[in-house]
Amino acid sequence: MPKSVVLFSGGVESTVLAYQLQKQGHDLHLLAIDYGQRHRNEHAFALGTAERLDASFDELDVRGIGALLPGNSLTDQRVDVTDYEAAPLGVAHVVPNRNAVLLAIAVARAVVVHADRVVIGSIAGDARTGDCSKDFIAAFNAMERVVTADFPEQIAVVAPLIGMEKFEVIRLGESLGVPWDETWSCFRGGDAQCGTCATCYDRRSAFRKAGVDDPTRYLKD
């Protein structure tokens, strides 16, 4: 049975991945990392998925990292999460080196639990952010082959959805029976998903394009 550590947020892509990997017979280890993001309530959704899939679940608190990385809307409460229409181009919504840091932790965890791989839910539409691209995954794996050379486990980071657009991921998740109202996307991190930030916009647009009913409760239509 293949063993996979999934860098897990409780969002659409990571949840679809978990359901797909379970169907494929993987021994799942879901890893949620609190890096100081304002939407850390996503981890309650991550835990719910782990319980439904009877998967191993770990939540790691590294919130101090967020305090060292101000200037973006995910980890700095002084920076507003803007609505999609007003969202500026640039790095206001990007945590520097986020996936490099989180994947380094995930690979270390994979080594000690004797996993075969680390799985991340990057998709084609994320490629505009450098640490979600195919080039980044390839470069990161090249680094890890050096870092873990003395260990018997040679861990590869894989991104099975990286060639797919979000609406295609929604269709895949629908075929797997993913309970969409048990996933979280919103950057604002309130009691309900706002419906207007960039991630909510992407989520709603993907459901429409996929032709799948969206059961999510949004604060704004």
Side-chain angles (χ1 to χ4, degrees), residues 2-6 21 26-30 115-119:
K3 182 180 290 188
S4 297
V5 171
V6 183
L21 292 170
H26 288 235
D27 178 6
L28 290 181
H29 292 248
L30 308 184
D116 304 292
R117 61 186 61 78
V118 169
V119 189

Side-chain angles (χ1 to χ4, degrees), residues 52-64:
R52 283 189 298 277
L53 297 180
D54 194 25
S56 170
F57 179 77
D58 292 296
E59 181 177 343
L60 177 64
D61 184 351
V62 292
R63 275 179 276 181

Side-chain angles (χ1 to χ4, degrees), residues 7-214:
L7 189 56
F8 200 73
S9 68
V12 166
E13 289 82 9
S14 61
T15 303
V16 170
L17 268 180
Y19 272 73
Q20 183 183 49
L21 292 170
Q22 188 207 47
K23 184 176 181 179
Q24 293 170 349
H26 288 235
D27 178 6
L28 290 181
H29 292 248
L30 308 184
L31 175 62
I33 301 179
D34 184 346
Y35 56 92
Q37 67 270 44
R38 69 172 78 207
H39 54 292
R40 64 175 57 92
N41 57 337
E42 65 186 5
H43 290 174
F45 291 82
L47 175 59
T49 296
E51 291 173 344
R52 283 189 298 277
L53 297 180
D54 194 25
S56 170
F57 179 77
D58 292 296
E59 181 177 343
L60 177 64
D61 184 351
V62 292
R63 275 179 276 181
I65 290 175
L68 292 175
L69 304 173
N72 70 85
S73 64
L74 274 66
T75 62
D76 190 339
Q77 295 293 329
R78 298 167 299 180
V79 180
D80 290 336
V81 177
T82 55
D83 287 348
Y84 172 77
E85 291 79 6
L89 297 175
V91 296
H93 306 297
V94 177
V95 180
N97 259 30
R98 181 182 66 170
N99 282 350
V101 172
L102 302 188
L103 283 173
I105 295 170
V107 170
R109 180 62 175 160
V111 169
V112 300
V113 300
H114 307 292
D116 304 292
R117 61 186 61 78
V118 169
V119 189
I120 186 172
S122 299
I123 61 173
D126 295 333
R128 60 185 180 273
T129 303
D131 64 359
C132 294
S133 66
K134 291 180 181 180
D135 286 346
F136 166 75
I137 298 295
F140 188 90
N141 277 325
M143 178 194 72
E144 285 296 342
R145 283 194 292 272
V146 176
V147 173
T148 62
D150 293 333
F151 291 90
E153 293 83 7
Q154 292 295 295
I155 309 298
V157 174
V158 298
L161 307 179
I162 203 162
M164 301 175 69
E165 298 293 342
K166 198 177 191 79
F167 78 93
E168 296 173 307
V169 176
I170 295 285
R171 288 176 179 168
L172 173 60
E174 188 73 1
S175 73
L176 294 168
V178 171
W180 300 116
D181 54 349
E182 298 295 337
T183 64
W184 184 273
S185 298
C186 182
F187 277 166
R188 287 196 164 105
D191 293 332
Q193 305 194 63
C194 72
T196 58
C197 71
T199 50
C200 282
Y201 177 88
D202 286 347
R203 179 188 177 105
R204 299 176 82 161
S205 298
F207 272 101
R208 286 193 295 270
K209 190 170 184 179
V212 173
D213 289 337
D214 182 3

